[in-house]
Amino acid sequence: VQQFLADVYWGDLDVLFMDLPPGTGDVAISVAQLVPGAELIVVTTPQLASSEVAERAGAVAVQTHQRIAGVIENMSGLPCPHCGEMVDVFGSGGGQAVADALTRVTGTKVPVLGQVPIDVRLREGGDIGVPLVLSDPGSAAAQQLTGIATGLANRGRGLAGRQLGLSPV
């Protein structure tokens, strides 16, 4: 992780978004140590097992003095192909439960940034390089993703002009 962060010329960044493995492993702790100003977006699914792991990851962020930007609930239901009604395949409420728990732990409001429903086209678009937000911006998943991105972009905190504080080894 250190080599990746230090050896790449990033230029002037607005955001450096890193998709880390779930949980509280070495990668998450290394990023917290190497990029102390990093903010965390906690991703969970509605089911209890996932929300418990997400809460632990958020608790580690608190211990490493990272700010939690919010929680995203992925696989937040499956729209019925016949009637459009949302089917809670993995249950419901996991994202809100994680946000509430992290609000208690941090003492500051941790919002749910969005709830992204299951959409096969989301995976298909990723496989062929055409994001769902472009191929079908009106779909429920695309609208949630656009809302999440807009909310994060409007926070007004960029990395432009800031050093990562790393140097090649």
Side-chain angles (χ1 to χ4, degrees), residues 3-140:
Q3 183 178 8
F4 169 72
L5 291 171
D7 288 356
V8 173
Y9 174 71
W10 298 103
D12 285 333
L13 297 176
D14 290 322
V15 174
L16 175 61
F17 191 83
M18 292 187 283
D19 184 6
L20 303 179
T24 58
D26 292 343
V27 175
I29 293 170
S30 292
V31 169
Q33 292 169 341
L34 294 168
V35 190
E39 294 183 63
L40 188 70
I41 298 171
V42 177
V43 180
T44 188
T45 64
Q47 63 200 63
L48 181 61
S50 178
S51 61
E52 288 174 347
V53 170
E55 284 179 34
R56 285 194 302 274
V60 167
V62 170
Q63 293 171 358
T64 56
H65 308 289
Q66 291 177 296
R67 185 173 175 277
I68 301 172
V71 175
I72 297 172
E73 184 180 271
N74 196 17
M75 298 191 288
S76 242
L78 174 68
C80 173
H82 306 292
C83 68
E85 185 176 330
M86 199 61 72
V87 178
D88 293 329
V89 178
F90 296 107
S92 64
Q96 188 62 57
V98 171
D100 292 345
L102 295 176
T103 294
R104 286 190 298 277
V105 169
T106 63
T108 60
K109 177 71 176 149
V110 175
V112 174
L113 301 172
Q115 297 174 293
V116 183
I118 297 169
D119 190 326
V120 173
R121 297 168 303 165
L122 186 61
R123 188 230 359 118
E124 291 171 345
D127 288 346
I128 63 171
V130 180
L132 184 63
V133 296
L134 296 179
S135 65
D136 188 3
S139 68

Side-chain angles (χ1 to χ4, degrees), residues 140-163:
Q143 289 179 349
Q144 283 292 310
L145 291 168
T146 300
I148 292 165
T150 300
L152 290 171
N154 288 335
R155 295 176 68 231
R157 181 166 184 230
L159 297 176
R162 293 177 56 199
Q163 297 274 335

